Amino acid sequence: MRAPQRAPAAILFATLLVASGCQSDESEGDSTAVEQEEPLTIVTEEGPVKATVTLSPATPRLGDSLLLTLTVTAEASVAVEMPAFGDALGRFAIIDFTPREEVASDGASTASQRYTLEAPLSGRHRIPRLRIEYTDERGGVAEAQTRELLTEELPFTIESVLPDGTVVDTLLPMRAPLEEPGPGVAFWGTGTAIGVAGLAALGIWLWSRRRAMTTLRERETAFERAMQRLERLELQGVPDDAAAGPWYVELSDIVRRYIEERLAVRAPELTTEEFLREAGRNVEFSRSHRDLLADFLARCDQVKFAAHRPGAEESRKALEAARRFLAETRDAVAAPSPEQAVAA
């Protein structure tokens, strides 16, 4: 008589197993759908260069890592200069960075920069416009032109981790008063405080050392990148009258970009006068370096804007002035400001 009573229980157990299996399949399907979510993408194209910016996930929540990828493809005989590390991304914390460059058999190139970012707040954000410089040498070295391509802004929204409608300004009840610790507890509490203070001091020292090493690497990278561009320009030889304008545009841009990267001055649209004033606010370069820079940029402006046609010797001197400025400021160390000197 007991067997018929067990049958309904067995049927109920089997039904629960089937239901849980269905729910598992559905959750796996949802997870797969999230993983296959298309990233946000924006494409900017100009002449022989095409830039693609992607951001994933497309609907991030606060605390999610953001994967930003800039991919630039260029036709053969087109040299591409990618943005400097972290250029215009200062509002985000950079967790990881991976650059890559490939050249196909036909000479076409593909360069990419992959960032892993973290945003500090939820709400509306945007990936700012990124600047790519390229030199088009398809018509020959004498007709080479250096131009820039600016990507479009990429807006996106980071959702809050709090459920919709959650009230965050509700006050919690007052906690009960703490009991006064005994002598032994006070001793251990003092020792713990000293230990925490020591660890904090060690952490600050390690952070300062790491920051100094990062600054040194960025300085070396800026110098090496500028010297590579200078060597490529030197291989073209001194320009004739027809090519003097583009040649001096490239020469002055090498020095300006180097200063932008060294001093974190982001000012491509400033005039020479404004640029010198902005760079002069930083005390890393000496007075003689600033005078050399002012004279160099003034000579370049005469060719670019005043229709001056320099001779071969003058162009060689301009090239040597640029090389001298890079070499002398490579290991320049920031001098103390007047306020710091008075305090000392």
Side-chain angles (χ1 to χ4, degrees):
M1 294 299 292
R2 293 181 180 176
Q5 294 177 355
R6 291 178 184 154
I11 294 174
L12 177 60
F13 180 70
T15 304
L16 291 175
L17 286 177
V18 172
S20 63
C22 293
Q23 291 177 355
S24 176
D25 293 340
E26 291 177 358
S27 62
E28 290 177 0
D30 294 341
S31 175
T32 303
V34 172
E35 292 176 357
Q36 295 177 352
E37 182 182 26
E38 291 293 330
L40 297 176
T41 303
I42 192 164
V43 179
T44 308
E45 191 168 1
E46 179 181 296
V49 179
K50 177 181 178 181
T52 304
V53 180
T54 62
L55 181 70
S56 62
T59 56
R61 298 181 70 87
L62 185 62
D64 289 346
S65 294
L66 306 174
L67 183 60
L68 173 67
T69 304
L70 169 64
T71 304
V72 179
T73 58
E75 297 181 8
S77 300
V78 177
V80 172
E81 185 76 17
M82 296 290 281
F85 169 77
D87 193 12
L89 297 175
R91 70 197 67 187
F92 301 101
I94 300 177
I95 307 303
D96 190 28
F97 172 68
T98 305
R100 184 172 298 173
E101 186 173 356
E102 297 177 355
V103 179
S105 57
D106 60 354
S109 63
T110 301
S112 65
Q113 291 181 340
R114 182 172 178 174
Y115 290 89
T116 302
L117 308 174
E118 283 188 358
L121 300 170
S122 59
R124 295 181 179 179
H125 294 268
R126 63 181 179 86
I127 299 299
R129 305 178 75 179
L130 305 177
R131 184 177 71 167
I132 301 102
E133 289 192 358
Y134 65 94
T135 302
D136 189 353
E137 299 179 354
R138 292 177 298 172
V141 176
E143 300 180 6
Q145 295 182 349
T146 299
R147 298 177 179 175
E148 68 176 28
L149 170 66
L150 289 175
T151 64
E152 298 296 329
E153 291 185 350
L154 183 60
F156 64 100
T157 301
I158 297 181
E159 301 293 339
S160 172
V161 294
L162 297 176
D164 294 338
T166 301
V167 178
V168 295
D169 56 354
T170 302
L171 296 178
L172 298 176
M174 182 181 298
R175 292 185 177 182
L178 299 176
E179 296 182 1
E180 186 174 341
V185 176
F187 172 77
W188 286 111
T190 302
T192 302
I194 295 175
V196 170
L199 289 176
L202 178 61
I204 293 174
W205 180 80
L206 291 174
W207 176 82
S208 301
R209 181 177 177 82
R210 181 178 180 183
R211 184 176 181 181
M213 293 299 295
T214 301
T215 301
L216 180 60
R217 285 195 298 269
E218 291 175 353
R219 177 184 302 170
E220 288 296 318
T221 301
F223 173 80
E224 292 169 0
R225 186 181 292 110
M227 288 301 297
Q228 289 173 1
R229 293 181 62 187
L230 197 65
E231 290 172 1
R232 288 201 300 265
L233 186 65
E234 187 175 15
L235 290 176
Q236 298 179 14
V238 293
D240 54 17
D241 289 351
W247 194 87
Y248 272 83
V249 168
E250 172 67 6
L251 180 63
S252 62
D253 186 73
I254 291 172
V255 176
R256 284 179 64 124
R257 175 63 74 89
Y258 165 75
I259 295 173
E260 289 178 7
E261 295 179 5
R262 279 288 305 273
L263 306 183
V265 177
R266 183 63 179 151
E269 72 285 353
L270 296 184
T271 64
T272 298
E273 205 172 294
E274 294 170 336
F275 182 81
L276 287 171
R277 185 164 54 249
E278 186 70 22
R281 295 175 182 173
N282 191 288
V283 296
E284 184 170 348
F285 297 154
S286 67
R287 179 62 181 270
S288 62
H289 292 153
R290 292 195 290 270
D291 291 343
L292 175 62
L293 176 63
D295 181 69
F296 167 77
L297 292 179
R299 292 177 181 273
C300 292
D301 284 351
Q302 287 181 352
V303 179
K304 294 190 295 183
F305 306 118
H308 175 62
R309 291 295 173 260
E313 183 62 24
E314 185 177 351
S315 296
R316 277 192 286 268
K317 288 182 178 179
L319 190 70
E320 287 304 317
R323 179 181 286 107
R324 174 187 164 193
F325 179 81
L326 296 178
E328 291 185 1
T329 59
R330 175 182 183 179
D331 300 321
V333 179
S337 65
E339 293 79 3
Q340 293 172 332
V342 171

